[in-house]
Amino acid sequence: RNAQKESKRAGRRFCEDNFLSVPRMFEWQELRRQLATSIKDLGLKHSPVAEEEEIDDARAQIIHKALLTGLLGNIAMHYEGREFTAARGARVAIHPASALRKKNPKWIMAAELVETSALFARTLAPVKVEWIEAIAGDLVKRSWSEPRWHRRRGVVMGRERVTLFGLTLVPSRPVDFGKVRPEEARQVF
């Protein structure tokens, strides 16, 4: 009992020394405990990766993908300088207090968008465009163009453009036109 009190005191001291929110830290610990219990109850096992850095990267990717499912409306693509283009054409900047401010990743997701002197994205994580396309599923819009006969492959090839909320995920990707628009492919053939 006394050791438990000392442990809580040490935790509070750590949070205060590192400018962390004590209630958020305890919430995180409780959430972690609940997830560990659920994993154990489901009979799942954790398979550790050899390098500590790889473990952190793998965990971060899993967490970012999970969060991305609920934050698709808060994604943004690097525009120029420190500006990003968010969904529906909004211009956002990375909040000055963010650790990602100096890194300027190509794609970000934000937990919140706050408008003060400008529209700022806060609580950020870098994401990959492949994750967005896979997670968005039917929300992405696909358009196909430039059908042409591809002699070597013996099929009609075209270009595919993939967008989500006005953001271009894939500007131009080769695609078998016969699979997406068989009537037009037949006319070209």
Side-chain angles (χ1 to χ4, degrees), residues 10-76:
R12 285 182 189 280
R13 204 173 308 117
F14 173 81
C15 289
E16 289 167 2
D17 291 346
N18 292 288
F19 306 103
L20 298 171
S21 170
V22 176
R24 297 300 88 73
M25 185 62 80
F26 286 131
E27 284 175 10
W28 177 81
Q29 286 175 335
E30 177 60 19
L31 177 64
R32 189 166 190 253
R33 187 194 62 73
Q34 289 175 7
L35 287 172
T37 303
S38 296
I39 287 171
K40 186 179 177 184
D41 291 346
L42 291 170
L44 300 175
K45 293 181 181 176
H46 173 69
S47 58
V49 183
E51 296 290 323
E52 190 67 36
E53 207 169 282
E54 289 177 22
I55 292 171
D56 291 342
D57 288 345
R59 286 181 184 162
Q61 280 189 9
I62 291 168
I63 291 169
H64 292 167
K65 285 179 183 178
L67 291 172
L68 184 59
T69 60
L71 295 172
L72 282 173
N74 289 359
I75 60 170

Side-chain angles (χ1 to χ4, degrees), residues 146-159 174-178 185 188-189:
E146 303 175 28
R148 69 201 176 292
W149 178 250
H150 195 281
R151 182 175 286 158
R152 257 192 351 229
R153 290 188 179 179
V155 296
V156 176
M157 295 295 290
R159 308 302 288 165
V175 64
D176 181 350
F177 222 71
V188 172
F189 178 66

Side-chain angles (χ1 to χ4, degrees), residues 63-155:
I63 291 169
H64 292 167
K65 285 179 183 178
L67 291 172
L68 184 59
T69 60
L71 295 172
L72 282 173
N74 289 359
I75 60 170
M77 175 180 74
H78 186 255
Y79 176 63
E80 64 181 27
R82 295 183 191 257
E83 272 195 21
F84 285 76
T85 303
R88 296 166 196 82
R91 293 271 188 244
V92 299
I94 295 178
H95 192 272
S98 174
L100 288 181
R101 185 160 174 92
K102 292 182 181 176
K103 294 182 182 177
N104 272 348
K106 184 156 172 71
W107 287 87
I108 58 169
M109 76 171 158
E112 57 185 342
L113 298 174
V114 178
E115 190 162 0
T116 54
S117 58
L119 185 59
F120 288 107
R122 294 192 339 182
T123 315
L124 305 172
V127 292
K128 294 183 180 173
V129 73
E130 300 85 28
W131 301 351
I132 298 169
E133 185 179 2
I135 289 170
D138 292 338
L139 294 175
V140 298
K141 291 183 180 174
R142 299 175 190 278
S143 58
W144 301 280
S145 62
E146 303 175 28
R148 69 201 176 292
W149 178 250
H150 195 281
R151 182 175 286 158
R152 257 192 351 229
R153 290 188 179 179
V155 296

